[in-house]
Amino acid sequence: MNTNDILEILTKNINEVIGTSISSVTPEMSLRELGANSVDRADILMQTMSDLNVRLSMVEFAAAKNVGDIAAIFHNHLASDSQ
Amino acid sequence: MTLNKNSSSIFSLKLIREEEESLTAWLCLSKKTLLELEQSMFDWIHPEEKSTADRLTFPKRKISYLLGRYSAKRALAEINPTSLKKIFVGEGVFNHPLLHGTVSKELQISIAHTKEVGAALIFNEAQPMAIDIESNDGEHSSTIESQLTPIEKDFLKHQWSSTFGINPYPWIWTAKEALGKVLKTGLTTPMSLFLIKELEVEDSFIKATYENFPQYKVLSFLWNEIIVSIVLPKKTKMILLEAH
């Protein structure tokens, strides 16, 4: 699975949780600018973890500034899991 | 404690501490649509705030931004009603709100929002405070529960009472988030560090203390099915009075 696949999953979950209808979230967008509050953010991350069948601590996303960073964190975890 | 009002409520918070002069903080809770906010904004919005709002593309972000500023200005109006458009609610490096242009440099602000409800707390920096709010509908309960430690789940199971009329999961989220705000770390700090120690009903509030931050407590109440949690120094007594 590559980062674009993960971005697609994130887009789906962002739209579901926040109620947006974005066709494609770009990596530069932040969840905050999309309108997510803290619990929305947790919802989006939890749903994405479920979709990707991974379990990460929320703290691992603390430094993520935008959706691209979030996707990269997921991608790195998946890549290290597969090794 | 359940307080029910229409679209906005202003409260004065009398803060009493032994051997100290009492202080007053101001709280505004507002329920507004984006249209209502945009129609009223020219009465209170600072040019920098307007410029920021104009750049916000997504409606949910725009409403949260304007709700926070509107609630802040309404609370500030209790202190000085004539210069609201000269006060700018900006942000610090941790996205924490900062007041610019107030007469007193000691004034601090905490902002929260959920759905179409905004909250702003204006207080003197001598008594650090913060606020968080969440809907009592329990929409996010399963996510919140997944973030709790087994000890916390057990704690809520045994200490929480249905007579509180408040859903425990959004409540504990507001208690933790408000603590994160007063510490200016937000939830970038592991939530498990914000462990609740004790819980009781005091003066119509749900009062809780923290295991790892004994200098603070949180007082919570319900407003129009919105859980409101205010963190303040543990030894400070708070009397909440509805101004209008």
Side-chain angles (χ1 to χ4, degrees), chain A residues 17-18 20 22 29 32-35 37-40 42-43 46 55 58-59 62, chain B residues 58 60-61 91 95 113-115 134 140 143-144 146-147 173 177 187-190:
Chain A
V17 171
I18 308 179
T20 44
I22 310 164
M29 291 179 183
R32 190 165 183 259
E33 80 180 81
L34 290 166
N37 63 16
S38 61
V39 71
D40 291 333
D43 260 347
M46 290 296 296
R55 178 77 183 174
M58 289 291 174
V59 170
Chain B
F58 297 98
K60 213 171 170 194
R61 174 61 187 132
E91 288 184 350
N95 295 322
H113 88 276
T114 185
K115 298 184 178 176
E134 259 313 317
H140 302 281
T143 292
I144 295 168
S146 72
Q147 300 304 304
W173 188 273
E177 174 123 31
L187 293 178
T188 59
T189 302

Side-chain angles (χ1 to χ4, degrees), chain A residues 22-51:
Chain A
I22 310 164
S23 56
S24 182
V25 171
T26 64
E28 302 74 32
M29 291 179 183
S30 71
L31 292 181
R32 190 165 183 259
E33 80 180 81
L34 290 166
N37 63 16
S38 61
V39 71
D40 291 333
R41 189 172 189 267
D43 260 347
I44 290 163
L45 293 174
M46 290 296 296
Q47 284 185 24
T48 306
M49 285 186 219
S50 174
D51 289 341

Side-chain angles (χ1 to χ4, degrees), chain B residues 108-138:
Chain B
Q108 301 286 318
I109 180 172
S110 178
I111 287 175
H113 88 276
T114 185
K115 298 184 178 176
E116 286 186 339
V117 177
L121 186 62
I122 308 292
F123 56 94
N124 188 299
E125 63 181 2
Q127 301 245 25
M129 301 176 79
I131 187 168
D132 196 52
I133 61 175
E134 259 313 317
S135 172
N136 197 32
D137 64 12

Side-chain angles (χ1 to χ4, degrees), chain B residues 69-105:
Chain B
R69 271 67 192 166
Y70 172 81
S71 302
K73 300 304 177 77
R74 284 219 57 196
L76 284 162
E78 299 300 312
I79 302 167
N80 185 348
T82 59
S83 61
L84 298 181
K85 290 166 79 164
K86 294 180 187 170
I87 298 172
F88 169 45
V89 182
E91 288 184 350
V93 296
F94 295 127
N95 295 322
H96 58 286
L98 293 173
L99 286 173
H100 302 279
T102 51
V103 172
S104 168
K105 301 291 180 209

Side-chain angles (χ1 to χ4, degrees), chain B:
Chain B
M1 181 191 204
T2 302
L3 298 167
N4 294 307
K5 267 297 171 187
N6 293 325
S7 62
S8 283
S9 294
I10 308 286
F11 300 92
S12 67
L13 284 60
K14 188 166 181 183
L15 306 171
I16 303 164
R17 200 173 163 100
E18 232 174 78
E19 296 171 9
E20 304 263 352
E21 198 176 318
S22 70
L23 293 171
T24 300
W26 293 96
L27 166 67
C28 174
L29 298 166
S30 304
K31 185 175 169 66
K32 294 286 177 195
T33 63
L34 183 56
L35 182 62
E36 286 169 333
L37 290 165
E38 286 176 329
Q39 284 174 341
S40 74
M41 73 164 82
F42 295 103
D43 291 334
W44 50 266
I45 203 162
H46 185 283
E48 290 272 358
E49 293 166 344
K50 176 74 169 60
S51 175
T52 300
D54 286 344
R55 288 196 299 272
L56 297 174
T57 318
F58 297 98
K60 213 171 170 194
R61 174 61 187 132
K62 193 164 188 172
I63 197 174
S64 76
Y65 181 84
L66 288 175
L67 261 177
R69 271 67 192 166
Y70 172 81
S71 302
K73 300 304 177 77
R74 284 219 57 196
L76 284 162
E78 299 300 312
I79 302 167
N80 185 348
T82 59
S83 61
L84 298 181
K85 290 166 79 164
K86 294 180 187 170
I87 298 172
F88 169 45
V89 182
E91 288 184 350
V93 296
F94 295 127
N95 295 322
H96 58 286
L98 293 173
L99 286 173
H100 302 279
T102 51
V103 172
S104 168
K105 301 291 180 209
E106 295 172 347
L107 286 180
Q108 301 286 318
I109 180 172
S110 178
I111 287 175
H113 88 276
T114 185
K115 298 184 178 176
E116 286 186 339
V117 177
L121 186 62
I122 308 292
F123 56 94
N124 188 299
E125 63 181 2
Q127 301 245 25
M129 301 176 79
I131 187 168
D132 196 52
I133 61 175
E134 259 313 317
S135 172
N136 197 32
D137 64 12
E139 183 186 347
H140 302 281
S141 288
S142 58
T143 292
I144 295 168
E145 191 186 4
S146 72
Q147 300 304 304
L148 301 180
T149 63
I151 292 173
E152 289 174 310
K153 289 180 195 176
D154 195 59
F155 177 88
L156 287 179
K157 188 177 166 187
H158 290 103
Q159 301 291 327
W160 199 262
S161 169
S162 59
T163 60
F164 295 164
I166 292 180
N167 189 314
Y169 294 113
W171 168 78
I172 201 169
W173 188 273
T174 61
K176 287 172 179 260
E177 174 123 31
L179 181 63
K181 286 181 183 181
V182 87
L183 298 172
K184 296 200 173 39
T185 65
L187 293 178
T188 59
T189 302
M191 288 190 85
S192 56
L193 279 181
F194 298 158
L195 199 60
I196 302 290
K197 181 179 179 183
E198 288 172 333
L199 184 69
E200 60 179 322
V201 173
E202 183 179 279
D203 297 334
S204 300
F205 296 113
I206 292 171
K207 175 185 136 184
T209 54
Y210 300 94
E211 188 70 50
N212 299 318
F213 296 93
Q215 59 274 69
Y216 287 107
K217 66 182 175 188
V218 59
L219 299 176
S220 305
F221 61 93
L222 208 57
W223 181 82
N224 282 347
E225 284 305 300
I226 299 294
I227 302 167
V228 181
S229 289
I230 296 173
V231 164
L232 69 165
K234 187 176 171 184
K235 292 182 182 175
T236 299
K237 183 175 171 63
M238 183 176 93
I239 301 173
L240 185 77
L241 294 168
E242 192 156 3
H244 46 93

